[in-house]
């Protein structure tokens, strides 16, 4: 089964609102990453959080990691129409030797 | 840097034909990954290479799929014979641990349709 599973599957918000997306995983990890995919494009790396970190920021992005609950959240603040995309979490499991396992993704729609 | 380059961007072929997808990773990256993306199964890792050597091909669906990396700047994914269920978007990605652990750079993908 998928290592990372995102929640919700789809999210629709108004421009300017915050978007929160969650990811749960099953095994111990070295790090967890979030990627964005615009329609018809490849995935783009957004942010990486290591297993010994609890929170990380990058511009309007904030990622948290709770290894005791095996979960992560991605917060996009002050969303824009251009943030409309699919978002994936990917886990680098301990012992996976550079192999990432991706969830099925969250479709975010930001209404102008 | 041009990023990861994939060709062709779109491929339409008939069942039974051979299909070859191509990838040029980012210069200096020593890991190369092939993924397949479908609505039903999401993004699946097919195979990955390190320094041109296949490390894990456990995701390759069956013997009809094969991948090679003859040098550091080129890789191919071949399907022979192709079947309609192979229709998907195939992505190539590369990474280098020197640039940070395991962040992957994806190409634009090849959309394969097998009729």
């Amino acid at each position: 089964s998928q290592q990372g599973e995102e929640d919700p599957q789809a999210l629709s918000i108004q421009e300017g609102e915050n978007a929160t997306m969650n990811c749960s995983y099953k095994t111990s990890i070295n790090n967890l990453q979030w990627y964005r995919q615009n329609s018809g494009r490849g995935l783009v790396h957004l942010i990486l959080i290591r297993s010994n970190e609890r929170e990380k920021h990058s511009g309007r992005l904030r990622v948290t990691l709770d290894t005791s609950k095996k979960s992560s959240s991605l917060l996009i603040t002050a969303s824009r129409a251009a943030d409309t995309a699919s978002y994936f979490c990917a886990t680098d499991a301990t012992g996976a030797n550079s192999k990432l396992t991706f969830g099925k993704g969250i479709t975010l729609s930001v209404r102008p | 840097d041009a990023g990861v380059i994939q060709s062709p961007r779109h491929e339409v072929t008939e069942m039974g034909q051979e299909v070859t997808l191509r990838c040029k990773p980012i210069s200096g990256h020593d890991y190369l990954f092939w993924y397949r993306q479908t609505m039903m199964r999401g993004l699946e890792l097919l195979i990955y290479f390190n320094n041109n050597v296949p490390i894990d091909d456990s995701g390759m669906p069956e013997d009809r799929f094969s991948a090679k990396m003859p040098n550091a700047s080129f890789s191919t994914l071949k399907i022979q014979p192709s079947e309609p269920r192979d229709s998907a978007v195939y992505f190539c990605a590369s990474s280098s641990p020197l640039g940070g652990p395991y962040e992957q750079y994806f190409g634009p993908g090849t959309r394969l349709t097998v009729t």
Side-chain angles (χ1 to χ4, degrees), chain A residues 30-31 33 35 48 92 98 100, chain B residues 31 95-97 100-104:
Chain A
N30 295 317
N31 64 75
Q33 305 178 35
Y35 287 77
L48 179 151
D92 173 17
S98 305
L100 289 181
Chain B
Y31 281 86
S95 74
S96 171
Y102 317 132
E103 170 186 337
Q104 294 185 14

Side-chain angles (χ1 to χ4, degrees), chain A residues 35 37 92 97-99 104, chain B residues 37 40 48 56 102 104:
Chain A
Y35 287 77
Q37 184 179 31
D92 173 17
N97 197 18
S98 305
K99 183 174 163 178
K104 289 201 170 182
Chain B
Q37 186 177 39
M40 289 295 294
Y48 76 97
D56 185 343
Y102 317 132
Q104 294 185 14

Side-chain angles (χ1 to χ4, degrees), chain B:
Chain B
D1 199 321
V4 175
I5 299 171
Q6 291 187 248
S7 65
R9 293 292 311 276
H10 301 272
E11 176 81 37
V12 180
T13 191
E14 291 183 348
M15 183 174 62
Q17 296 298 305
E18 177 180 297
V19 175
T20 300
L21 311 181
R22 298 173 175 79
C23 174
K24 177 179 168 55
I26 292 173
S27 177
H29 282 191
D30 50 5
Y31 281 86
L32 184 139
F33 304 82
W34 281 102
Y35 292 91
R36 177 173 68 177
Q37 186 177 39
T38 61
M39 290 293 293
M40 289 295 294
R41 300 175 67 90
L43 194 66
E44 303 173 278
L45 176 66
L46 300 177
I47 185 171
Y48 76 97
F49 296 83
N50 178 219
N51 292 322
N52 314 337
V53 176
I55 302 300
D56 185 343
D57 65 355
S58 60
M60 296 286 262
E62 49 200 90
D63 292 345
R64 297 184 298 106
F65 285 69
S66 63
K68 293 182 180 179
M69 192 163 186
N71 57 61
S73 59
F74 184 65
S75 177
T76 59
L77 177 68
K78 187 175 291 187
I79 308 172
Q80 166 64 17
S82 59
E83 297 182 2
R85 61 191 167 125
D86 302 331
S87 297
V89 181
Y90 290 81
F91 289 102
C92 175
S94 69
S95 74
S96 171
L98 294 176
Y102 317 132
E103 170 186 337
Q104 294 185 14
Y105 295 80
F106 281 73
T110 295
R111 182 173 295 277
L112 173 65
T113 303
V114 184
T115 60

